[in-house]
Amino acid sequence: MSLLDVSNLHATEMFDSLSMGIVITDTKTRVHWVNTFFWEHYSFKDEVLLSASLNNLTFLNDHEILTDIHLEQFSAVQKWTGEIICLTSSGENRLCKTTAYPMTDEHQNQDYYLFCFDEVTNSEGAFDDLLKLTRFDQLTGLPNRAYFIETLENKLREADLNQTFLGVMLIEFDELEHFNSLYAQDMDEHILLELRNILQPMLGDNMTLARVANAKYALIYEDMSSTNDIEKLAQNVIHLFAEPVVVDTHLIYVDLTVGISLYPTDADCAKILLKEAERVSSSLQKEGTNQYGFSHKLPESNVDNLLQLSSDLPAAVENGEIYFLFQPQYCHKDKRYCGAELLVRWEHPQLGSVSPETFIPIAEQTGMIRSVTMKALMEASKMFRKVEELGITDFSLSINISPSMLLYSTFVENVKFFIESYDLAGKQLRFEITENVLTRNLTKMVETLEEIRSMGIGIEMDDYGTGYTSIKYLSQLPIDTLKIDKSFVRDIDKEPKKATLFRAICDMALALGYEIIAEGVETESEDLIVQAYENIIVQGYYYARPLRDEALLTLLSSKTDP
């Protein structure tokens, strides 16, 4: 029985044929639709059902149980199941297996909840029918969008537990409805079925295919060794549909775009991973069809080189090609070098020096960023030990931490292990994060950063001013130091507006209780302007270029002025 306009919700007619109670509500559990069985079978005592809260209907003798459902569970598309006593229209109490699912109306972009009340005396067949209706696409038999996201959430937990890499591929076909006017009204459905038949033989055991919208198929790719795996699959898909598709004796050319998102580089949530892949696909369609793209773009470079770097990176971490330099930091107040930033470098045996701007994104997308970060922590431990041998005990060392590292559930435990095992407790160790952490799960980021700070590790916001951090979010982040990006320092002695902006950032940082580090000081005149403002630590080529460890130790022990 339709109570509000739910005409765009799929499968309501099929729900109406089931011999169990079906109720569709909005996200506040206000009733929008019930099936005939529910309307005729359960008692409402003449209640006005329209927009009533499901929790308040008197047919639920145990209605307080539904009140205990934590609706935030549905944000991850997880079902809720319980047993509830329901009052029938004949006055009998019946024990019902009650299950709640999230639903999305793609046409109206509206979220709903579907509740089913299945009396335990009913056959299992009715419940199985419901699962098919709520979890699988009725045309193709593939998992639907809701079930795809539920499955993806489970796969993400497995990937996190096993520390493996996962990708989501969104395959979007263009203007299939156009063929309806050329051949038959339901030609697009025939095409979609044939597209499914073509895609399925390409799938490996570590892949899951679903239909997530009218002309969109999505794929989960588990246990990838690198981004090369999913990239090769995307290339194969594009190549496969370069040939015409035979549908009902017709030769049909289809256009498509493929969007790819990666875990944990691009997001830590199933819904966002899928939407990121969809965003990439939509963006590609504006440039032309029959191409693929990543959400997290690799740097512009020779493709063959990127593939080689991706393949060579694991060995490079182990054999010493990956090494570290130290960018000294100078304190004007104490007139001495007080710390350094740890910088990672790669000297490739064939390609020579590889820029971090090139290999860090590769490390993030292949999962090798974990090995690089752990090696950086070991290097920090060695440097603290050497500095203490010089009798210096108030030296700080900063390590850049990728946002993707903060999403790993084991990261905090790994850091604890290094602190305890590599004599880092009590050291002035600092983690640098960038503003793009705010594009991830902010709540989880804050929790992780607070755990890190509780270990005595300082948090620095790196390159401040180049991203989109608002003052509101900045005040929420548990950080200790603001590093002002070099773009605000370069030519500050020549551009009065830069000097004014630099001063405003300093005032804000001091008001929030943050220490300040100015990056990119390269000339004496820039340094004079910067140090005139506040008690600021500076780093840049005017004081020192990045140094090897022995050169840094010499600088710390013998030099106090630039």
Side-chain angles (χ1 to χ4, degrees):
M1 177 177 180
S2 181
L3 301 171
L4 298 181
D5 181 15
V6 291
S7 56
N8 285 325
L9 281 173
H10 299 299
T12 50
E13 291 184 3
M14 287 177 282
F15 290 152
D16 211 31
S17 65
L18 295 174
S19 58
M20 64 168 65
I22 303 293
V23 181
I24 295 176
T25 76
D26 61 19
T27 54
K28 295 182 180 179
T29 69
R30 291 189 296 248
V31 176
H32 281 216
W33 183 90
V34 300
N35 69 343
T36 301
F37 183 91
F38 184 90
W39 183 260
E40 296 177 349
H41 195 65
Y42 293 111
S43 171
F44 303 105
K45 296 184 179 178
D46 299 324
E47 292 169 304
V48 177
L49 190 58
L50 180 63
S51 292
S53 171
L54 183 62
N55 293 329
N56 296 330
L57 298 181
T58 55
F59 88 97
L60 292 171
N61 284 355
D62 293 345
H63 63 85
E64 67 276 1
I65 295 179
L66 276 187
T67 307
D68 291 336
I69 295 178
H70 299 294
L71 297 181
E72 59 267 22
Q73 289 179 343
F74 293 147
S75 63
V77 195
Q78 297 176 355
K79 68 179 181 181
W80 175 90
T81 301
E83 291 186 343
I84 296 177
I85 298 176
C86 298
L87 183 65
T88 69
S89 55
S90 60
E92 298 177 287
N93 286 325
R94 295 289 178 86
L95 182 64
C96 292
K97 179 180 179 181
T98 306
T99 309
Y101 298 92
M103 295 179 64
T104 299
D105 180 357
E106 297 296 336
H107 298 280
Q108 297 181 338
N109 193 28
Q110 180 69 44
D111 291 329
Y112 296 92
Y113 297 147
L114 182 146
F115 292 85
C116 67
F117 300 90
D118 186 26
E119 295 180 8
V120 294
T121 55
N122 281 355
S123 66
E124 289 297 324
F127 191 73
D128 291 341
D129 290 342
L130 177 69
L131 288 179
K132 291 178 182 178
L133 291 176
T134 57
R135 291 188 161 195
F136 293 92
D137 175 57
Q138 298 304 300
L139 174 66
T140 64
L142 295 172
N144 61 17
R145 188 184 188 91
Y147 192 30
F148 177 84
I149 295 175
E150 179 182 343
T151 302
L152 180 56
E153 281 291 345
N154 293 330
K155 300 297 185 183
L156 293 183
R157 283 190 285 271
E158 292 176 10
D160 194 29
L161 180 64
N162 300 324
Q163 300 288 274
T164 53
F165 199 46
L166 182 148
V168 172
M169 177 185 291
L170 190 285
I171 305 168
E172 183 171 3
F173 295 95
D174 190 34
E175 297 183 351
L176 297 185
E177 297 87 350
H178 167 70
F179 296 102
N180 292 344
S181 59
L182 294 177
Y183 302 111
Q185 283 301 313
D186 60 350
M187 190 63 177
D188 59 335
E189 295 185 353
H190 291 276
I191 296 172
L192 281 168
L193 287 171
E194 185 58 32
L195 297 177
R196 176 206 61 186
N197 294 338
I198 294 172
L199 288 170
Q200 281 184 318
M202 302 178 66
L203 304 183
D205 293 337
N206 58 340
M207 303 178 197
T208 302
L209 184 67
R211 184 188 179 196
V212 295
N214 182 39
K216 295 179 183 179
Y217 288 107
L219 180 143
I220 302 171
Y221 198 135
E222 303 173 69
D223 299 323
M224 296 188 301
S225 58
S226 74
T227 54
N228 296 344
D229 296 341
I230 198 167
E231 186 169 19
K232 289 177 181 177
L233 179 63
Q235 292 169 346
N236 290 339
V237 170
I238 297 291
H239 178 74
L240 186 65
F241 289 105
E243 299 296 328
V245 177
V246 180
V247 181
D248 293 344
T249 71
H250 301 291
L251 290 177
I252 294 174
Y253 284 90
V254 294
D255 294 320
L256 71 155
T257 51
V258 178
I260 302 170
S261 61
L262 303 168
Y263 172 82
T265 307
D266 298 323
D268 65 337
C269 164
K271 279 187 176 181
I272 297 177
L273 275 172
L274 179 56
K275 287 184 178 181
E276 274 297 295
E278 288 178 313
R279 180 188 62 78
V280 174
S281 176
S282 297
S283 178
L284 289 172
Q285 284 186 333
K286 298 174 184 177
E287 303 172 7
T289 55
N290 304 317
Q291 55 183 322
Y292 69 91
F294 285 87
S295 174
H296 187 135
K297 287 190 67 176
L298 289 171
E300 296 295 331
S301 183
N302 181 280
V303 174
D304 292 334
N305 285 354
L306 289 178
L307 294 175
Q308 182 178 355
L309 292 175
S310 179
S311 175
D312 293 347
L313 185 56
V317 174
E318 298 299 326
N319 63 22
E321 294 173 26
I322 297 290
Y323 66 97
F324 296 91
L325 298 178
F326 298 85
Q327 176 70 62
Q329 297 172 337
Y330 186 82
C331 176
H332 278 294
K333 179 182 178 181
D334 298 334
K335 298 189 179 303
R336 66 179 181 86
Y337 289 92
C338 57
E341 177 183 352
L342 193 66
L343 305 174
V344 63
R345 296 290 186 264
W346 185 0
E347 188 65 28
H348 193 281
Q350 285 82 43
L351 302 176
S353 179
V354 182
S355 167
E357 284 73 20
T358 297
F359 74 81
I360 290 299
I362 294 174
E364 290 177 330
Q365 291 196 5
T366 58
M368 284 304 299
I369 193 65
R370 286 170 286 179
S371 298
V372 174
T373 303
M374 297 305 119
K375 188 169 184 177
L377 286 169
M378 287 188 280
E379 190 70 21
S381 174
K382 295 177 185 177
M383 179 51 69
F384 276 122
R385 186 168 59 252
K386 293 176 181 178
V387 169
E388 287 181 349
E389 290 174 356
L390 296 176
I392 300 173
T393 58
D394 54 354
F395 174 83
S396 67
L397 193 56
S398 304
I399 298 177
N400 289 278
I401 301 296
S402 165
S404 61
M405 286 298 300
L406 299 175
L407 296 176
Y408 283 110
S409 62
T410 58
F411 178 62
V412 172
E413 291 301 319
N414 290 340
V415 173
K416 287 180 181 178
F417 169 79
F418 272 91
I419 289 177
E420 296 170 358
S421 304
Y422 287 83
D423 194 29
L424 288 171
K427 305 297 191 296
Q428 292 188 40
L429 179 63
R430 300 177 178 180
F431 284 174
E432 290 190 10
I433 61 172
T434 55
E435 291 181 84
N436 60 0
V437 299
L438 298 179
T439 65
R440 312 300 177 92
N441 186 327
L442 181 60
T443 300
K444 183 176 180 179
M445 288 294 183
V446 170
E447 291 175 355
T448 301
L449 293 176
E450 287 176 342
E451 285 189 80
I452 292 171
R453 287 183 81 199
S454 69
M455 302 179 213
I457 299 173
I459 305 297
E460 298 179 350
M461 173 69 79
D462 193 19
D463 298 336
Y464 181 75
T466 61
Y468 304 96
T469 309
S470 69
I471 296 176
K472 171 186 174 183
Y473 286 125
L474 188 63
S475 65
Q476 294 177 1
L477 291 172
I479 64 176
D480 305 287
T481 304
L482 205 64
K483 297 190 73 174
I484 302 176
D485 185 69
K486 61 185 178 182
S487 61
F488 294 95
V489 175
R490 186 185 303 116
D491 297 328
I492 194 173
D493 55 321
K494 302 172 185 175
E495 301 181 24
K497 287 185 178 180
K498 274 193 175 181
T500 301
L501 186 56
F502 183 89
R503 173 68 180 188
I505 295 174
C506 290
D507 288 343
M508 178 192 66
L510 291 172
L512 293 171
Y514 301 149
E515 294 181 357
I516 304 170
I517 297 176
E519 299 180 291
V521 176
E522 298 189 359
T523 67
E524 182 178 8
S525 55
E526 289 174 351
D527 184 53
L528 289 173
I529 297 293
V530 169
Q531 66 172 292
Y533 284 119
E534 299 289 349
N535 177 24
I536 296 175
I537 296 171
V538 294
Q539 69 179 61
Y541 287 0
Y542 176 63
Y543 285 90
R545 290 179 176 270
L547 304 172
R548 291 278 192 169
D549 54 353
E550 293 302 325
L552 175 64
L553 293 171
T554 300
L555 181 69
L556 293 174
S557 59
S558 63
K559 193 173 184 180
T560 57
D561 294 312

